[in-house]
Amino acid sequence: MNEDEIHDQALEEGFHLEMFEDHLRYELGVSENTVKAYLSDCRALVRYAGASGVEAPGQVRYETLRDFLHQSGTAGLSERSEAGLAAASLARLRSALRTYYAFLNREGLTAEDPTEHLEAPRRSRPLPDVLAYYEIETILNAAELKAGAASTARSLRPERRALPFRDVAMLEVLYGAGLRISELIGLRVRDFVPEDGLVSVKGKGDKRRIVPVGGRAVATVQRYLREWRPQLDRRGQSEGRLFLNQHGRPLSRQGAWKILQELVARAGIEKRVTPHTFRHSFATHLLEGGADLVAVQEMLGHADISTTQIYTHVDRSYLQEEYRHFHPRK
């Protein structure tokens, strides 16, 4: 590796691009093409900013991004067309930068968002993907059936028998508390308060919030803690985390993602399902049941209620669909 390559690698580490890649792939669940495109755009920004002596994303200012977009859309960078980016590609570049800085802000890696005032084409905000409650139940039932089969498979090592029960507990908490995947895998045993039906969650910017969890989730986690987590935590490498992998270490985003995909496939659900789909479903089902918007905002950990209001549109779509399906004068 030559000196320039070493410098570029150090810059990418300083800009947390590997963490951003994990966020795209395992939290947002975007397509592989989108992962590659967004990383390419962000690497281009890193090189552009690095040429001016900028070594961290928090040092990037709005003016830098504006000039970067202008250069990308006119003269172009090395891998871009000399005629400039098409409007769709320029919109994608803006989207990549916004997604990147939203991730950095959420993780507490930057204090400000220089993309806030970047001009972008007006477009309607897409509604999040949501599972119907019966689909949630179908996935949970698939997880429980797998756990039941493992409990009678005496040929399996204890830690292997424990894993399906961990998966059931994990999904119950994911849906029961509407957590982000990073919040889920970051939970510690001490964060779970079963006697009050609560979980203490470290969210964006290391802010703590208290979220209720239902009785099913509480009972499942208690059984996991009592009977199965000790089978996983045999090497003293758990760091106190609630959900562990088969080696007794904290479960990773990638590990949680793979577990969910395997169980969705077992359940025969053909929709695209990500960990965030469970969070979207949690919020939508609460509002469908009559929950107060401010209460849902608090449970989700949204700083701005306008972020939570997207779920009122999902709820409205659901009601319209039910009306068309059941009303005799539709």
Side-chain angles (χ1 to χ4, degrees):
M1 186 179 294
N2 61 39
E3 189 173 326
D4 288 341
E5 290 173 332
I6 292 173
H7 179 259
D8 287 346
Q9 182 176 341
L11 271 179
E12 290 190 12
E13 290 176 359
F15 275 76
H16 311 289
L17 291 194
E18 186 174 343
M19 289 177 63
F20 180 53
E21 181 178 359
D22 285 347
H23 170 69
L24 291 172
R25 187 170 282 122
Y26 303 123
E27 288 198 55
L28 299 187
V30 300
S31 70
E32 194 61 29
N33 285 340
T34 300
V35 172
K36 291 178 180 177
Y38 276 25
L39 286 175
S40 174
D41 291 335
C42 288
R43 287 190 179 104
L45 170 64
V46 169
R47 290 196 297 273
Y48 180 84
S52 303
V54 174
E55 297 182 349
Q59 299 172 2
V60 175
R61 297 291 175 259
Y62 163 76
E63 292 76 15
T64 304
L65 294 180
R66 181 196 60 199
D67 294 345
F68 170 64
L69 284 171
H70 177 72
Q71 178 172 315
S72 299
T74 52
L77 299 174
S78 59
E79 69 271 20
R80 306 183 188 277
S81 163
E82 291 183 4
L85 292 172
S89 297
L90 193 57
R92 188 205 74 200
L93 177 56
R94 291 190 184 98
S95 177
L97 297 177
R98 286 196 174 105
T99 302
Y100 172 59
Y101 270 94
F103 159 74
L104 293 172
N105 281 187
R106 193 201 73 183
E107 296 293 329
L109 297 171
T110 56
E112 298 179 358
D113 182 359
T115 70
E116 184 178 359
H117 301 295
L118 283 179
E119 294 180 3
R122 289 187 176 271
R123 58 182 68 189
S124 60
R125 187 176 182 181
L127 296 178
D129 295 326
V130 172
L131 293 169
Y133 178 62
Y134 79 87
E135 291 173 313
I136 294 283
E137 281 199 312
T138 301
I139 297 170
L140 286 168
N141 287 340
E144 289 169 357
L145 285 172
K146 184 180 178 184
S151 67
T152 59
R154 299 303 175 187
S155 60
L156 289 176
R157 297 192 306 274
E159 63 271 21
R160 297 294 297 180
R161 286 208 306 274
L163 295 178
F165 291 92
R166 173 209 62 191
D167 299 345
V168 176
M170 185 185 78
L171 292 186
E172 286 282 7
V173 174
L174 188 65
Y175 174 66
L179 304 187
R180 302 176 179 95
I181 186 98
S182 57
E183 295 170 345
L184 180 78
I185 64 173
L187 286 177
R188 299 180 184 276
V189 174
R190 66 171 181 261
D191 295 331
F192 179 62
V193 190
E195 60 271 20
D196 295 326
L198 300 171
V199 63
S200 174
V201 182
K202 181 188 287 188
K204 291 175 60 174
D206 288 341
K207 292 181 180 178
R208 283 273 172 188
R209 69 182 190 277
I210 303 298
V211 184
V213 287
R216 290 278 294 275
V218 168
T220 304
V221 173
Q222 283 183 309
R223 185 184 179 192
Y224 163 67
L225 286 171
R226 182 176 62 251
E227 300 178 21
W228 301 108
R229 189 179 176 280
Q231 303 298 328
L232 299 172
D233 189 15
R234 293 182 167 189
R235 303 180 182 180
Q237 298 178 327
S238 70
E239 301 174 14
R241 298 287 178 83
L242 180 58
F243 296 113
L244 309 178
N245 64 23
Q246 63 179 317
H247 304 296
R249 291 189 286 271
L251 189 66
S252 66
R253 295 184 192 193
Q254 182 178 6
W257 169 267
K258 288 181 177 178
I259 291 164
L260 177 58
Q261 294 308 301
E262 191 264 332
L263 292 173
V264 168
R266 275 178 174 264
I269 302 294
E270 296 183 356
K271 290 182 179 178
R272 176 177 172 272
V273 179
T274 73
H276 232 58
T277 308
F278 273 65
R279 179 171 164 85
H280 295 323
S281 303
F282 163 85
T284 303
H285 296 167
L286 280 173
L287 290 168
E288 286 172 1
D292 179 73
L293 186 66
V294 174
V296 176
Q297 175 194 6
E298 181 71 20
M299 285 184 270
L300 292 174
H302 287 161
D304 190 336
I305 199 167
S306 65
T307 308
T308 317
Q309 284 174 329
I310 184 71
Y311 298 107
T312 63
H313 299 300
V314 177
D315 185 30
R316 194 176 305 132
S317 299
Y318 166 81
L319 294 176
Q320 289 170 341
E321 181 182 341
E322 291 293 290
Y323 181 92
R324 287 193 296 268
H325 187 69
F326 293 111
H327 197 282
R329 294 183 66 83
K330 54 185 176 292

